[in-house]
Amino acid sequence: MTDLTVTGDAPGAPEPSAPRTGEMVRVENVYKSFGSTEVLKGIDMVVRPAEVCCMIGPSGSGKSTLLRCVNHLEKINAGRIWVDGDLVGYRERGGKLHELREKEVAAQRRAIGMVFQRFNLFPHLTAIENVMEAPVRVTRLAKSTAKTEAAALLDRVGLADKLLNYPAQLSGGQQQRVAIARALAMRPKLMLFDEPTSALDPELVGEVLDVMKGLAKDGMTMIVVTHEIGFAREVGDTLVFMDGGVIVESGDPRVVLANPQHQRTKAFLAKVLS
C-alpha cells in the first residue's frame, strides 16, 4: 500500500472529522490537481441517504472531477471522502492515509453505480447481456438469476421489449437506459451521474430523465452533474453551483434558482435560463 501525506495537509486545514450517522456521502476539504492545475480547491459537501444532489456550473468548474473522486476514479491530493461511513480509497493509521489495494478499491466501487456521458456498452453483447455481465463476472451470481434480475431492471427502465437488441440497434436514449440498468445490477447504495443526457439528441433526453426521476422516487441516493435545470428544480433536494474548483453556492434548488445570492451564480443562471 502507498503511504500518503495526511490529508488536512492543505494550509490551515481543519482536523478531519468522522462521518456522522445519516450521511451517505461526506466530502471534506478535498483538493485535486492535474499537474500544476488545481481543479478542486477545498470542497466540503454532504449528501444524505435518499437525497438527490444536483451539481451545475460552467465547463471546467470541477464538477465531473469531484464526481470521479467520490468513487476513486480520480485520486485526491488532500482531504477525505466517505461513502456510507467508509473512507474511500484509503485506510487511516497513525494520522496517515494508506492507499487501498486495487482489489479493495474495486470492492468499494461495487456499492457506487456510475453513469457516464457516453454509454460504454459492450457492442458485441445484447442489452440483457450487458446488464448481466458485472453480476456474473464480479459477484459470481448464477447466470439464471442474473438473467432474471437483468430482465427486471430493463423492464424498470422501459426496455422490456429490447432485451435481445445490440447497442447498435438502440437509440442513444435507449443505450443510456441500458447503462443505468447495468449500474443498478450491482445493487448500489449510491448512484453517480455525469451529465447523462449531454450526448443525447434533445428529443431523447426526457426518457432518460424519467428513469432518473423514478429512481429518486424509489429513494436512491444520487449525485447528478447536469445541465438540465428543470430536472434539478423538480427532483433535486440540494443544488450545488461550482465554479473555479469551489462550491460557490448551494441549497434548496427552488430557492437557489429563484433567488441566487452570489453574483457568479446569478450570471451563470442568467445565461442558462435565457
Side-chain angles (χ1 to χ4, degrees):
M1 290 182 287
T2 304
D3 283 8
L4 236 74
T5 307
V6 69
T7 75
D9 323 293
E15 285 295 314
S17 59
R20 300 181 179 88
T21 302
E23 295 178 350
M24 179 58 74
V25 180
R26 170 174 281 270
V27 177
E28 191 166 282
N29 200 40
V30 164
Y31 286 76
K32 172 64 181 177
S33 297
F34 294 104
S36 61
T37 303
E38 197 171 41
V39 179
L40 300 177
K41 305 173 183 178
I43 299 293
D44 294 300
M45 187 172 78
V46 171
V47 181
R48 293 176 176 79
E51 280 190 347
V52 178
C53 173
C54 293
M55 302 177 64
I56 63 172
S59 296
S61 59
K63 309 182 300 298
S64 294
T65 298
L66 176 57
L67 204 67
R68 292 170 65 86
C69 289
V70 171
N71 67 355
H72 205 59
L73 284 176
E74 296 290 353
K75 299 176 184 179
I76 61 178
N77 298 117
R80 285 167 171 77
I81 299 174
W82 291 271
V83 172
D84 200 19
D86 293 328
L87 189 62
V88 174
Y90 303 96
R91 183 180 292 111
E92 185 170 4
R93 285 202 306 265
K96 287 189 176 182
L97 293 182
H98 305 268
E99 189 170 359
L100 297 179
R101 297 180 179 90
E102 184 55 39
K103 187 176 182 179
E104 295 171 302
V105 173
Q108 288 187 329
R109 287 197 189 116
R110 292 177 197 172
I112 306 172
M114 188 157 186
V115 178
F116 300 89
Q117 297 177 35
R118 297 292 174 180
F119 326 122
N120 300 324
L121 300 177
F122 294 112
H124 63 290
L125 299 181
T126 63
I128 194 167
E129 288 170 341
N130 265 282
V131 178
M132 291 171 55
E133 183 76 1
V136 170
R137 287 188 176 272
V138 177
T139 67
R140 304 301 181 188
L141 189 65
K143 283 190 176 182
S144 58
T145 303
K147 187 173 184 179
T148 299
E149 293 185 1
L153 286 170
L154 287 168
D155 182 41
R156 183 179 181 183
V157 299
L159 294 173
D161 60 337
K162 302 292 183 182
L163 304 186
L164 303 181
N165 287 63
Y166 289 91
Q169 298 170 316
L170 301 172
S171 70
Q174 290 169 338
Q175 290 184 61
Q176 191 62 294
R177 285 186 279 157
V178 173
I180 293 172
R182 180 180 58 183
L184 293 173
M186 294 298 286
R187 303 177 183 176
K189 61 183 73 173
L190 169 68
M191 286 285 285
L192 309 177
F193 293 86
D194 188 7
E195 299 187 16
T197 60
S198 65
L200 301 178
D201 292 333
E203 66 269 21
L204 302 177
V205 169
E207 62 191 49
V208 174
L209 294 181
D210 285 345
V211 170
M212 295 170 64
K213 290 174 186 177
L215 293 178
K217 187 176 180 180
D218 291 343
M220 175 62 74
T221 310
M222 300 159 61
I223 304 178
V224 185
V225 173
T226 184
H227 294 297
E228 301 294 336
I229 301 299
F231 174 85
R233 182 187 291 110
E234 178 184 351
V235 182
D237 296 293
T238 305
L239 182 69
V240 172
F241 172 65
M242 288 186 65
D243 188 33
V246 300
I247 293 177
V248 176
E249 189 167 347
S250 65
D252 183 300
R254 289 147 289 277
V255 174
V256 173
L257 293 171
N259 188 28
Q261 298 301 299
H262 196 282
Q263 191 57 43
R264 181 67 187 94
T265 315
K266 293 178 182 178
F268 175 80
L269 291 175
K271 290 182 179 179
V272 301
L273 295 176
S274 59

